Amino acid sequence: MSTILPLFWDLSSANKRHRIDASAKLIGALEHFQARFTPKSDISEPASEEDDDGEAQASKDDGLDALNATDVSYSIRRLVRGLASPRESSRLGFAVALTELLSRIDTITCSQIVSLILDSSKTHGSMTGQEERDALFARLFGLTAVIQSGLLVRNTPLSTSASSAPAASSLAGYREVITELVALGEKKSWLRESAWWTIGLAIDALDESEVSWKDEAFESTLETLFVDNKLWTPEKIALTLKLQKYRPARDWNVLMSPTFKHPHVLSTGNYSALSRILKVRPPV
């Protein structure tokens, strides 16, 4: 553990090169530890761990210890917690390292890491404004890391000898990510653009994937964005263009009405509605 602890400090460096070097060294060390790790059939209760601030951090019942080396489990938890750090450049460094780590290990599911991210980024009434912002950005960066790492739609089972090994991703995990991103955008208007941009990343990843539940995931996305959410915003217009490209045969008339007269969002008959949503003057 002592060999990787100093690297977490460098992940918060204001120097971009230092952050990247620390991330590369950390991931390399963790891959080495994981390669030497043998999962045990009898997993005992996890012991508490200490971070470099000397604070005892009890391992959560998140299932990470079953298939991961101690340093890997510790690092995943610490990287997720670090996303809420108020220190300069810390969020960037921790997000990059988390994304890279999730892209390389095959011993964690999408649902596991999403649950960890949501638990560590909860907000409550006693928080200061800055603490709440840090927690919300931590959730956004964490979910983005899950998507950009490929874990959201990874079409392989966990690396384990068990014949009934769960798949790394699932329809339920995908739905949870989309739902949480929509909720994040609704919670704070200044987060909406970033949250919906991240939804766009998830949709792109889904379209390029080969998961067996792709069609169900697209239908779930349409239901969440259009049926459950009636508000039209510039961000929703952007995602509509993307989704109409990926699913042109869908009955868009049902999803677009009554706000739009025509199913294709860029039809000339929709210009008046578009101008109101985008807050620009209609074409002369």
Side-chain angles (χ1 to χ4, degrees):
M1 187 74 70
S2 60
T3 59
I4 64 172
L5 288 179
L7 297 174
F8 287 99
W9 287 99
D10 290 336
L11 287 178
S12 301
S13 173
N15 186 296
K16 180 179 179 180
R17 177 174 293 182
H18 290 171
R19 293 199 306 270
I20 293 176
D21 287 346
S23 179
K25 291 177 181 177
L26 176 63
I27 301 306
L30 295 178
E31 284 188 305
H32 174 70
F33 293 139
Q34 188 64 25
R36 299 173 57 186
F37 175 72
T38 302
K40 298 179 180 179
S41 57
D42 182 21
I43 304 298
S44 57
E45 286 294 319
S48 64
E49 302 164 342
E50 287 192 1
D51 63 10
D52 48 345
D53 293 322
E55 297 179 355
Q57 301 292 337
S59 297
K60 296 181 179 180
D61 185 19
D62 48 27
L64 293 181
D65 297 322
L67 297 176
N68 295 289
T70 302
D71 294 86
V72 175
S73 297
Y74 170 82
S75 296
I76 292 174
R77 298 183 184 109
R78 175 136 186 203
L79 288 172
V80 169
R81 292 199 310 271
L83 296 176
S85 173
R87 287 193 294 173
E88 182 181 1
S89 302
S90 184
R91 186 174 292 115
L92 290 175
F94 278 69
V96 169
L98 179 62
T99 302
E100 188 65 20
L101 181 58
L102 293 179
S103 71
R104 298 195 181 205
I105 61 174
D106 55 0
T107 52
I108 183 172
T109 66
C110 174
S111 295
Q112 274 181 298
I113 191 67
V114 168
S115 178
L116 195 63
I117 291 168
L118 298 182
D119 286 342
S120 67
S121 58
K122 291 179 179 178
T123 58
H124 49 79
S126 61
M127 281 183 164
T128 64
Q130 183 61 52
E131 289 172 337
E132 183 183 24
R133 285 192 292 273
D134 288 338
L136 293 177
F137 274 119
R139 180 164 296 194
L140 176 64
F141 274 64
L143 295 177
T144 303
V146 171
I147 297 168
Q148 294 188 317
S149 68
L151 182 58
L152 180 70
V153 290
R154 188 169 297 163
N155 197 27
T156 55
L158 296 190
S159 176
T160 173
S161 59
S163 59
S164 59
S169 65
S170 65
L171 177 59
Y174 174 88
R175 283 174 172 167
E176 185 173 24
V177 169
I178 298 299
T179 299
E180 290 297 333
L181 286 171
V182 171
L184 199 57
E186 291 178 346
K187 189 175 183 65
K188 299 292 182 181
S189 59
W190 44 267
L191 270 177
R192 183 184 296 121
E193 182 177 354
S194 297
W196 282 64
W197 176 81
T198 307
I199 294 173
L201 293 181
I203 294 171
D204 289 338
L206 177 63
D207 182 70
E208 295 172 2
S209 74
E210 297 181 357
V211 291
S212 60
W213 38 268
K214 179 187 288 190
D215 290 338
E216 293 92 332
F218 265 112
E219 283 303 311
S220 175
T221 302
L222 292 172
E223 182 175 348
T224 300
L225 301 185
F226 294 91
V227 179
D228 299 338
N229 187 341
K230 299 298 184 181
L231 178 66
W232 281 92
T233 63
E235 295 78 21
K236 187 170 181 177
I237 294 295
L239 283 190
T240 300
L241 289 171
K242 184 186 295 289
L243 286 164
Q244 288 189 339
K245 173 185 175 182
Y246 291 150
R247 285 294 184 271
R250 186 64 163 77
D251 184 3
W252 284 97
N253 190 55
V254 174
L255 299 176
M256 301 293 289
S257 62
T259 304
F260 294 99
K261 296 179 180 179
H262 301 279
H264 194 284
V265 68
L266 295 182
S267 295
T268 56
N270 292 334
Y271 283 175
S272 178
L274 280 173
S275 67
R276 290 196 301 270
I277 296 169
L278 299 176
K279 296 182 180 179
V280 298
R281 292 183 179 180
V284 178

